[in-house]
Amino acid sequence: MPFTDDINAEETPSFKEALSSEKIKAIYNVNYISMAGNLSSGVLIAVVLFINFGAFISISWYSLISSLSFLRLFFYKKFQKESMYRPNKFWARITFIWLILTSAAWSIIPAFLFKDAAVEYKIIMIFVITVIAAGGLSTLAVKKSYYMIYISFLILPLSYHFFMERTFTGYSIAFACIFYLFLLYFSGRRQCSVLEEGFKTKIKFETARNELRISETRFSAIFNEAPIGIFYYNSDFVIIECNEYFSKILRAPKPALIGLNMKKLNDLRIFPAISAIFEGKIGKYEGEYSTKISGTTLWVGLQTAPIYDKIGNISGGVGIVEDFTEKRKVEEKIEYQAYHDSLTLLPNRDLLLDRLKMAVKQSRRHGYKGALLFLDLDRFKTINDSLGHQIGDILLKQVANRLFNLTREEDTVARLGGDEFVILLPELSDDLHHALSYTKMVADKVHEALSVAFDVEGHVIHTATSIGASIFPQPDESHIDILKHADMAMYKAKEESNSSTHFYDTEMDEYLKKNLMLENDLSEALFKRQFEIYFQPIVEIRTGRIKGAEVLLRWNHPELGLVFPGDFIEIAEDTGLIIPIGTQVLEMSLETISTWSEHPFDKINHISINVSVKQFRQAGFVDNFRQMLEKYPGVAEKIILEFTESILIEDFQNTLMKIDEFRKYGVRFAIDDFGTGYSSLSYLKKLPLDILKIDREFIKDVLIDEDDAAIARTMIDIAAHFNLKIIAEGVETIDQVHFLDNLKCEFYQGYYCSKPVKLEVFKKLVTDNYSPEIR
């Protein structure tokens, strides 16, 4: 930093070192003058020595003086080359040694001359030594201690010799020498002080100049290289200077910016920040800005500050500009992604809830009714599993486009995830009847729009949707409640039929509470083994005898009584409890079958056990089931594992591998609900299956619906072609039995024979050779 405080600066080690360096330089820089003085004066003394003492003394002494002079020249040259590499103390020590030797060489002269020399020679000697001493003032005065030693070595011997003559003249000259010594001392001290002040001033000046040069370099680097735009403008708002980055930000060449009058800008939103400096304030602006020259719209941050002249008046300002355009784009992208679905680009759950919350507030304030439609695509999972997720994603995009195109600008179409969509209809009407009518009309439009087949990568896909609707606002109903109510209504619509709309009511709230209670009780039911297995007989049509059974699950709830799978299996699937429940069912079934060795159970051909998709795909399913079979030997031959065709769709090779593993133990396999999904007949050819089951949906109207009859006939023929046993499900009348018998269907199960019953009842039916009438 610059030496702004003289006293503090002179006390610093760096300043003292710089001052010492300047003194040493001053001593060495007068080397030639000193050398010339010594050599020329030495000639005169050498002549006197020659006259009085002969050539040897004269030459010897002069050689000493010359050697010392050239020694100083040697160190002067060395100083010029090496002064940067050696400390000041080294050069000061060399100088000190030299001045001791030189002054000593001059001081020995009186020892030879003064005793016996003539008066004129003594006068010459006094003259030469006083001149040499005075010359030392100009060369050594920068270091007071050096100078004092030097002149003392020269003058004191003279004074001593004159004093020792013990004459009036000798005393007078001795006193004059002493007086001259003090005169030289005070003169040297004053000169030393003057020189030292000069050196100090020089050091401070050079330091300040260096600091200024560094500051200018730094400022230049900041101004030219800083990744921010900097510009200066005068009191007329004219830009007088700017850096390259400012030019880069504004997408304009620097010459086009210099001289630009900012009063004439097209976009004056930044002008208040520019003009604020003339009130002595800091100006700030952050936002969009349209450039005058390039016409580009940017997002900038601007800060201005005043510049003062020498008398303190504001002469202009400096502005610093940052380009936030890319940062803003990234923030907008992140914000968009946070509130929009990445697949369909529709608003997501967060944005929907935010708009729904606002819509509820507006509705309460203005007395308008609004509506929320909750949509779920029917059979989307089957489409996704059979045709692949890529096809499913494209279908969802097309669905989103159709929904968006049939709504108003103020409506919101959102995707919550999977195949669930929501349509928010805000501020419909202050009349409830009108709001209901409009909501029903929109729901009908949705059904109509989605009933048209979709063309997805060459696949013609037919789909439909179940819609739940909730009218808001209701007393004490939050926006979260509205979404939950519409969701509940959607599930009610799905239970009723495809392509239906259902409005929320209080009964559905009770339904939701019941489901929540079942979800909480499932874990306890598993732990307390509240699940029971029932058996539905499978009858051989030709003989009318019971030849097998399907194991069906029941939950003996301590409060609700008997709970059927339809009420809790979906919950078990969602919570992941379906796997331990399925394991428990398998173990109960195998344990029960292992006791059926006596007559008449040896006539039972098979017991069918349903396996869920999640259970079958479980990594350790094969090993766990093998351990159960080892625990109950002889049971495997009677087991038929039933699974739906959705297991075949995804990861076919893994399914085939597991079936092969099971068949090694004698376990057989049946496909349940075949024909209701999108499975291919090629699976029947590739898989080692044993039984094909006709779903109850095709049996229910087989006597009155020719399409159902044709499907049943086709499936029986397919089973015969692939050498598979076939079982018809849901048989309830003797006429259905006759129809199946005519088609050569081998087995059936259904209420015509028996509902699912407990083990004791099933044992009695088998023991009594129960046979429902078929003729």
Side-chain angles (χ1 to χ4, degrees):
M1 60 178 293
F3 296 115
T4 55
D5 188 333
D6 290 348
I7 297 176
N8 293 337
E10 292 173 11
E11 292 177 354
T12 61
S14 60
F15 188 90
K16 291 179 179 179
E17 184 71 14
L19 182 60
S20 175
S21 178
E22 287 296 325
K23 290 179 178 182
I24 297 297
K25 287 179 184 178
I27 292 173
Y28 277 92
N29 285 340
V30 294
N31 178 72
Y32 289 108
I33 298 174
S34 176
M35 183 179 176
N38 275 277
L39 291 176
S40 59
S41 299
V43 170
L44 183 60
I45 297 299
V47 170
V48 173
L49 290 175
F50 178 80
I51 296 171
N52 288 275
F53 302 103
F56 178 77
I57 296 296
S58 175
I59 294 172
S60 297
W61 181 86
Y62 191 76
S63 297
L64 176 61
I65 291 297
S66 300
S67 297
L68 290 172
S69 296
F70 284 106
L71 180 64
R72 187 175 184 184
L73 178 63
F74 169 77
F75 280 108
Y76 170 69
K77 295 293 185 181
K78 198 172 184 64
F79 175 80
Q80 287 182 318
K81 294 179 180 180
E82 300 179 11
S83 60
M84 297 293 292
Y85 309 110
R86 294 181 183 272
N88 290 329
K89 289 182 179 180
F90 172 80
W91 302 111
R93 193 178 299 117
I94 294 297
T95 303
F96 182 75
I97 293 172
W98 176 86
L99 72 89
I100 292 294
L101 294 175
T102 303
S103 58
W106 284 102
S107 66
I108 64 175
I109 297 174
F112 294 100
L113 294 180
F114 277 53
K115 183 177 181 182
D116 302 316
V119 173
E120 61 270 21
Y121 296 125
K122 290 182 180 181
I123 293 172
I124 293 172
M125 187 66 228
I126 293 171
F127 172 77
V128 171
I129 289 180
T130 54
V131 169
I132 291 296
L137 181 67
S138 63
T139 59
L140 296 173
V142 292
K143 285 187 74 71
K144 185 165 57 179
S145 59
Y146 286 11
Y147 173 67
M148 286 303 301
I149 292 172
Y150 185 71
I151 62 176
S152 296
F153 265 75
L154 290 176
I155 303 298
L156 288 176
L158 282 176
S159 300
Y160 172 76
H161 284 290
F162 279 110
F163 182 82
M164 291 306 295
E165 289 182 359
R166 301 187 186 280
T167 63
F168 177 76
T169 303
Y171 289 141
S172 298
I173 295 174
F175 175 77
C177 288
I178 296 298
F179 178 77
Y180 182 67
L181 176 65
F182 278 99
L183 184 64
L184 289 177
Y185 171 73
F186 286 112
S187 297
R189 184 177 180 183
R190 179 175 180 80
Q191 187 171 344
C192 180
S193 178
V194 171
L195 289 173
E196 188 168 298
E197 288 300 319
F199 290 146
K200 290 179 179 179
T201 303
K202 177 185 177 184
I203 292 169
K204 292 175 183 178
F205 173 76
E206 289 183 350
T207 302
R209 185 175 61 182
N210 290 336
E211 291 291 340
L212 179 61
R213 187 181 297 113
I214 291 172
S215 296
E216 289 176 346
T217 303
R218 289 174 179 169
F219 174 77
S220 178
I222 293 173
F223 184 76
N224 294 314
E225 305 298 332
I228 53 175
I230 304 174
F231 67 98
Y232 296 95
Y233 57 99
N234 60 23
S235 57
D236 294 324
F237 298 95
V238 174
I239 296 176
I240 56 177
E241 184 59 273
C242 68
N243 65 356
E244 291 295 336
Y245 207 84
F246 181 71
S247 171
K248 180 180 178 181
I249 289 175
L250 297 185
R251 279 73 164 171
K254 187 174 178 179
L257 296 172
I258 304 298
L260 180 67
N261 191 329
M262 292 185 288
K263 286 183 179 179
K264 300 179 181 180
L265 294 174
N266 294 336
D267 192 339
L268 293 176
R269 284 178 288 183
I270 65 169
F271 197 75
I274 294 173
S275 59
I277 61 128
F278 294 105
E279 299 176 6
K281 299 178 181 179
I282 299 296
K284 290 185 178 181
Y285 173 79
E286 183 171 328
E288 286 188 332
Y289 171 69
S290 299
T291 63
K292 176 180 176 65
I293 298 174
S294 65
T296 307
T297 299
L298 309 172
W299 188 278
V300 299
L302 168 65
Q303 183 165 321
T304 60
I307 296 176
Y308 298 89
D309 59 20
K310 293 181 180 180
I311 60 175
N313 294 326
I314 297 174
S315 60
V318 58
I320 296 176
V321 181
E322 291 185 80
D323 186 359
F324 297 139
T325 305
E326 292 303 319
K327 178 183 175 183
R328 184 67 179 175
K329 287 180 180 178
V330 171
E331 289 174 350
E332 289 176 350
K333 183 178 180 180
I334 292 173
E335 183 179 1
Y336 183 86
Q337 291 174 343
Y339 290 102
H340 288 80
D341 173 52
S342 60
L343 177 65
T344 62
L345 304 183
L346 293 177
N348 60 12
R349 179 184 290 270
D350 291 337
L351 184 53
L352 169 73
L353 289 175
D354 185 64
R355 292 184 180 178
L356 178 57
K357 185 177 182 180
M358 183 62 66
V360 173
K361 287 183 179 179
Q362 294 290 341
S363 294
R364 288 200 169 107
R365 183 178 296 124
H366 302 299
Y368 281 95
K369 297 292 183 183
L372 194 72
L373 300 180
F374 199 115
L375 287 66
D376 182 88
L377 298 182
D378 298 330
R379 301 172 62 78
F380 177 75
K381 185 177 185 302
T382 304
I383 296 170
N384 217 23
D385 289 344
S386 59
L387 298 179
H389 293 290
Q390 184 177 358
I391 298 298
D393 288 347
I394 297 174
L395 175 62
L396 290 174
K397 289 181 182 179
Q398 293 187 11
V399 169
N401 288 334
R402 291 191 187 182
L403 294 178
F404 184 81
N405 289 332
L406 60 83
T407 54
R408 305 172 300 173
E409 185 177 349
E410 60 267 33
D411 298 336
T412 296
V413 180
R415 180 186 177 220
L416 302 189
D419 60 338
E420 294 179 338
F421 294 85
V422 171
I423 301 177
L424 171 62
L425 307 173
E427 297 192 7
L428 295 179
S429 173
D430 57 357
D431 181 75
L432 177 61
H433 177 72
H434 289 161
L436 284 168
S437 299
Y438 186 85
T439 304
K440 183 64 169 63
M441 178 195 71
V442 174
D444 291 342
K445 282 185 176 181
V446 171
H447 287 305
E448 182 181 354
L450 299 187
S451 66
V452 179
F454 292 87
D455 183 359
V456 182
E457 300 288 322
H459 297 276
V460 178
I461 299 176
H462 294 272
T463 187
T465 184
S466 300
I467 302 177
S470 179
I471 302 296
F472 64 84
Q474 300 295 333
D476 301 324
E477 183 184 47
S478 70
H479 63 292
I480 301 295
D481 294 332
I482 296 169
L483 181 63
K484 179 182 70 175
H485 294 160
D487 187 17
M488 292 168 57
M490 182 274 296
Y491 277 104
K492 193 70 174 178
K494 191 174 282 289
E495 288 178 3
E496 291 175 354
S497 64
N498 292 336
S499 299
S500 64
T501 302
H502 192 88
F503 282 81
Y504 168 77
D505 56 36
T506 54
E507 291 181 5
M508 295 171 59
D509 196 29
E510 293 300 322
Y511 171 79
L512 179 65
K513 290 178 181 178
K514 179 182 176 182
N515 275 5
L516 184 61
M517 182 192 69
L518 291 177
E519 182 177 333
N520 294 332
D521 292 347
L522 265 178
S523 295
E524 185 178 0
L526 187 65
F527 176 73
K528 294 183 176 180
R529 301 185 73 86
Q530 294 174 355
F531 295 109
E532 298 179 1
I533 53 175
Y534 277 55
F535 298 85
Q536 183 170 44
I538 295 175
V539 179
E540 185 180 36
I541 295 178
R542 182 176 58 83
T543 63
R545 301 294 182 184
I546 298 174
K547 294 294 184 180
E550 179 179 357
V551 175
L552 298 172
L553 183 63
R554 299 291 184 266
W555 179 6
N556 191 9
H557 195 281
E559 296 178 6
L560 301 177
L562 206 61
V563 182
F564 290 85
D567 294 326
F568 68 84
I569 287 296
E570 186 175 348
I571 300 173
E573 291 271 3
D574 292 339
T575 59
L577 290 173
I578 190 66
I579 293 176
I581 290 174
T583 302
Q584 194 173 101
V585 170
L586 280 173
E587 190 160 8
M588 286 191 298
S589 301
L590 296 182
E591 182 181 10
T592 301
I593 297 170
S594 67
T595 64
W596 293 359
S597 58
E598 72 279 4
H599 181 79
F601 288 105
D602 56 351
K603 303 297 183 181
I604 299 297
N605 292 333
H606 66 268
I607 299 296
S608 296
I609 305 172
N610 288 286
V611 179
S612 71
V613 175
K614 287 187 177 180
Q615 187 179 8
F616 189 83
R617 288 178 181 163
Q618 189 186 12
F621 178 60
V622 175
D623 291 336
N624 293 338
F625 193 62
R626 184 184 67 248
Q627 292 174 10
M628 292 184 194
L629 293 176
E630 291 173 353
K631 185 177 178 181
Y632 304 107
V635 172
E637 291 78 7
K638 290 188 179 292
I639 297 298
I640 291 182
L641 295 182
E642 287 190 20
F643 51 74
T644 59
E645 62 183 39
S646 58
I647 290 181
L648 307 177
I649 305 302
E650 193 171 323
D651 201 358
F652 175 80
Q653 292 300 325
N654 186 47
T655 300
L656 179 60
M657 180 186 70
K658 287 185 177 180
I659 289 177
D660 287 338
E661 283 290 321
F662 280 120
R663 290 185 70 83
K664 293 177 183 178
Y665 300 97
V667 177
R668 290 168 290 170
F669 287 86
I671 294 184
D672 194 13
D673 300 338
F674 187 79
T676 60
Y678 287 80
S679 59
S680 168
L681 292 178
S682 63
Y683 293 127
L684 299 180
K685 178 181 178 182
K686 296 176 182 178
L687 287 175
L689 301 172
D690 299 278
I691 295 175
L692 187 65
K693 301 187 78 171
I694 305 176
D695 188 74
R696 66 183 69 249
E697 287 296 319
F698 300 127
I699 299 299
K700 180 177 62 174
D701 297 325
V702 72
L703 300 176
I704 58 175
D705 190 323
E706 292 191 7
D707 290 337
D708 285 349
I711 290 173
R713 185 180 299 108
T714 301
M715 292 181 68
I716 292 171
D717 290 341
I718 290 172
H721 176 79
F722 288 106
N723 198 26
L724 301 175
K725 302 292 184 181
I726 190 157
I727 300 175
E729 295 181 302
V731 175
E732 297 182 356
T733 67
I734 184 65
D735 292 333
Q736 290 173 338
V737 174
H738 289 162
F739 176 83
L740 295 170
D741 187 26
N742 290 333
L743 296 178
K744 294 186 170 42
C745 178
E746 298 174 83
F747 300 95
Y748 78 89
Q749 65 185 89
Y751 285 5
Y752 179 68
C753 173
S754 172
K755 294 181 179 181
V757 293
K758 288 188 175 184
L759 176 61
E760 294 75 15
V761 177
F762 179 70
K763 280 184 177 182
K764 190 174 188 319
L765 290 176
V766 176
T767 303
D768 294 344
N769 287 319
Y770 174 73
S771 176
E773 183 181 349
I774 61 173
R775 300 297 178 190

